[in-house]
Amino acid sequence: MTTLTRADWEQRARDLKIEGRAFLNGEYTDAVSGETFECISPVDGRLLGKIASCDAADADRAVENARATFNSGVWSRLAPTKRKATMIRFASLLKQHAEELALLETLDMGKPISDSLYIDVPGAAQALSWSGEAIDKIYDEVAATPHDQLGLVTREPVGVVGAIVPWNFPLMMACWKLGPALSTGNSVILKPSEKSPLTAIRIAALAIEAGIPKGVLNVLPGYGHTVGKALGLHNDVDTLVFTGSTKIAKQLMVYAGESNMKRVWLEAGGKSPNIVFADAPDLQAAAESAASAIAFNQGEVCTAGSRLLVERSIKDKFLPMVIEALKAWRPGNPLDPATNVGALVDTQQMNTVLSYIESGHSDGAKLVAGGKRILQETGGTYVEPTIFDGVSNAMKIAQEEIFGPVLSVIAFDSAEEAIQIANDTPYGLAAAVWTQDISKAHLTAKALRAGSVWVNQYDGGDMTAPFGGFKQSGNGRDKSLHAFDKYTELKATWIKL
Ligand code: NAD
């Protein structure tokens, strides 16, 4: 744990200079329109600063610039070993600035400072260095051609990448894209969420310090319906990579169809089932995991274990264990290093979460923990981790992504029924299964329509395995070598010998 106390972080927060301008061609710059929007901290409702409100004019400038930089070859044709070294320096700079970046992240979107410092910043740096490390170890292919032909199968960078990211893990989601996008030689225009632009703006300068040429990484803060839409519809953006809601993911596919058929890769929402069979090897561990799966990051996690499916024969024993485990997750001041649940990102998101709690009540589910806004006197947006029992999978709280700390508990009687309920959602991002029967574990994992399945744990994984969704949770994968598919075009070159 950090040696900095809450008072130290609060002092640093007061001293912090917030950069709110866009980053274009290696320099901070105002939006073309000169417009700004306010960045409000959910920690206490304080104004953090004014942020450049970019729109289509900024997108045009950035794309033109990114294209010219790409065509110049200054980065796109640099030897992979050199790009590797630069990406590793970029990652090191994130780590050197870990405390500053963690503070920006926490003030901007409300997550606990210990999470920002020990999960988000290291995870972001790891995404940059892992992709950089890989880039000079990937080989292209020679096809199995006839004797008088040589067939080369090579990968090329796609060109100009528009990366649109959400607010729940602002820096980490950005770096899941930047790692492979930059390592493969592309020029990138990063659009952070209007709810959490600060770390994206800050790391643009660190990229220059690392030696990434100007024009390769540009950052355009602003709203989705202005600058986000402009990137989506732009005829000279080659690829859009996105993390965010399923609703906006679908919209980006429309933009691509209406413009230049740019490639669109989507990491979208989830409503993940956490299935606990009666023969789970360790019910205490399962209960603690079920609690952290809904309370970590205030439940603002695409893979949140928001549906807890429990075999009916153990439900009366198991549910009190989950309720007890959830008591360890209490919202508190995010700048206190001991806090493990912070503020929801803003008032709008808090009201959304509270309205889902209302809908749980009115649909007849039984509230067994939490359910209220708290710490109102701080000026921040805090909601207690909440559990509803007696939920049917047809209820709104079981079908829709809440993106807050609200857990729905659903009983089942057989493995078949558990799988049917688990898959009965438009989403397919992640799932977990708890059992000590190895066949049941494998058969259930195979039957689950989800991009990640965890057995006897919740939320495992690192850069080595792909991450992404089935169904309306998206397409393509972040992390691992599979992520490189998004950022490269495959070319076949036939040489007559
Ligand atoms: P969101 O879809 O509202 O916004 C995501 C980004 O899209 C933001 O930068 C936003 O400004 C932009 N945007 C909004 N409207 C746009 C438009 N018309 N054109 C272009 N861009 C537009 O999502 P959010 O509320 O920021 O994030 C929460 C969502 O992200 C949840 O659904 C969550 O499940 C999902 N998420 C998914 C993953 C994953 O890897 N699958 C990871 C984290 C979050």
Side-chain angles (χ1 to χ4, degrees), residues 46-70:
R46 177 166 80 90
L47 176 70
L48 293 171
K50 297 275 177 87
I51 309 297
S53 187
C54 294
D55 61 21
D58 303 279
D60 285 345
R61 277 211 305 174
V63 174
E64 193 182 328
N65 207 271
R67 172 67 60 198
T69 308
F70 181 78

Side-chain angles (χ1 to χ4, degrees), residues 31 41 114-115 126 133 184 234 273 283 295 297 304 307 390 443 462:
S41 176
S114 295
D115 288 359
Q126 171 73 355
E133 293 272 9
T184 44
H234 206 291
L283 278 184
N297 210 49
R307 292 185 299 149
L443 290 171
D462 57 22

Side-chain angles (χ1 to χ4, degrees), residues 248-283:
I248 302 300
K250 290 180 180 182
Q251 187 59 51
L252 296 187
M253 296 175 106
V254 173
Y255 293 155
E258 285 175 349
S259 55
N260 62 341
M261 230 169 95
K262 55 180 68 64
R263 283 83 182 101
V264 183
W265 300 100
L266 307 163
E267 299 283 353
K271 194 72 194 174
S272 300
N274 183 10
I275 305 170
V276 182
F277 285 108
D279 65 350
D282 181 344
L283 278 184

Side-chain angles (χ1 to χ4, degrees), residues 163-169 173 176-177 191-196 220 222-233 240 242-249 251-252 255 266-271 300-304 345 349 401-403 427 429 467-469 473-474 478:
I164 301 180
V165 295
W167 46 262
N168 61 335
F169 293 91
M173 292 303 103
W176 281 11
K177 314 293 187 203
K191 194 210 88 62
S193 167
E194 59 278 15
K195 297 177 196 247
S196 61
L220 298 184
Y223 292 103
H225 63 273
T226 56
V227 67
K229 180 176 177 182
L231 289 171
L233 284 170
L240 268 187
F242 171 80
T243 299
S245 63
T246 293
K247 179 174 166 227
I248 302 300
Q251 187 59 51
L252 296 187
Y255 293 155
L266 307 163
E267 299 283 353
K271 194 72 194 174
E300 297 164 327
V301 183
C302 52
T303 54
V345 71
Q349 182 64 14
E401 185 181 45
I402 298 174
F403 226 55
Y427 299 111
L429 192 57
F467 178 87
S473 288
D478 279 335

